[in-house]
Amino acid sequence: MKRVLGLSMLVAGLVAGMLGAAPAAQAATIDVHPGQSIQAAINHAKPGDTIVVHPGVYHESVVVTVNHLTLRGAGASGAGTVMMPAQSSNKCLKGGAGICVFGDKHGPRVGTTVEGFEFKGYSQFGLVGFGAKDLTVQRNVAMNTGDYGITCFGCTGLRYLYNTASGAGEAGFYIGDTANADASVIGNSSFGNLFGFFFRDSNMGTAIGNHAHGNCMGFALLNTNAPNNVHGWTLMNNDVNQNDKACPGGGEGPPISGVGIGILGASNNHIQRNTVWANQPGGATAFSGGIVLFDTTKSDKGSTPNHNVVTGNVLYRNKKFDINDDGSGHGNTFARNKCHTSNPGGRCH
């Protein structure tokens, strides 16, 4: 299951240091029109400024270099603001991503907001953060953006709000390698990816009112042998259905298909009041079901899933089971789940 890019190894060097400068007293609005450069506008911006990117297609890859900056597109659709790869670029992972929000040797990149963009066709990411603090990504679309749609490594105070991601080889939405993400993942839609929502080696966050469908796995909370043990997440009121795409195993990872919510070696999380239905394998898979608890000690040198609370969920038409617990963990609580099948029995009420 180790499909995450080696770029995450850079995070540790990016998150240390002082916080960024406070917003300028008099913020400016900078307009960018088709044929003009978003990066040039960023280079001229000061903390607190807003860059308004008007409707059109922009073949760019840009890096945010100032704190407390807002990038505002004209809407995440073909009639709004579309970002696509440039023919060549030395910016943002050499053109591999649309927008990069990176901390540096001085500390995190603080207070960035990105809203109203459609990212299309990038080879690695739609938007990616490394060592960012208080990053808000809202009402954007990432389509067919290589490995990841919207992603952050080593980011705290993170907010993913009302975005859509599809066609990523790894994850539509990803949060990785963070001791205290303090993340809010609200109202997003993720489909046609390997993982719809992937929280790997990251702690502390809420995922509320999201929709995951047509992925190989809708939600994944994965603990590997990294320092963080994936705890403190609340998944609530999400609609997780028909995640029946088949993804073959790669490297040490097993094949995956037909999983709604995977608690993969993660502990001390709350999975409550979600609707999880018709998650059925569309191909070979190591495990399947509506809500799955799985030991990652062998596949990822991780751990067993312990002390998770699974309560008040509605599950139906999942295969092989609505709730599938491999029995490796201890202290897990199952209560008031409305479902028909479980392994072992007694998980449905």
Side-chain angles (χ1 to χ4, degrees), residues 30-32 37-46 51 69:
I30 304 170
D31 291 286
V32 179
S37 168
I38 301 171
Q39 187 67 63
I42 293 172
N43 293 345
H44 285 88
K46 294 186 168 88
I51 295 173
L69 182 69

Side-chain angles (χ1 to χ4, degrees), residues 313-318 320-323 337-343 345-349:
N313 301 282
V314 176
L315 307 100
Y316 56 95
R317 289 171 40 208
N318 300 288
K320 296 181 176 181
F321 303 96
D322 290 324
I323 297 176
N337 296 295
K338 185 177 180 181
C339 57
H340 298 285
T341 60
S342 70
N343 174 44
R347 302 291 195 241
C348 298
H349 300 89

Side-chain angles (χ1 to χ4, degrees), residues 168-224:
E170 179 76 8
F173 296 90
Y174 180 84
I175 300 172
D177 306 303
T178 310
N180 184 6
D182 189 24
S184 297
V185 181
I186 299 173
N188 302 281
S189 178
S190 190
F191 59 94
N193 312 286
L194 195 168
F195 301 105
F197 298 85
F198 191 11
F199 309 143
R200 176 188 181 272
D201 297 323
S202 293
N203 307 325
M204 311 303 294
T206 57
I208 300 173
N210 302 284
H211 187 196
H213 64 98
N215 307 286
C216 300
M217 184 181 301
F219 280 82
L221 280 67
L222 174 63
N223 180 37
T224 72

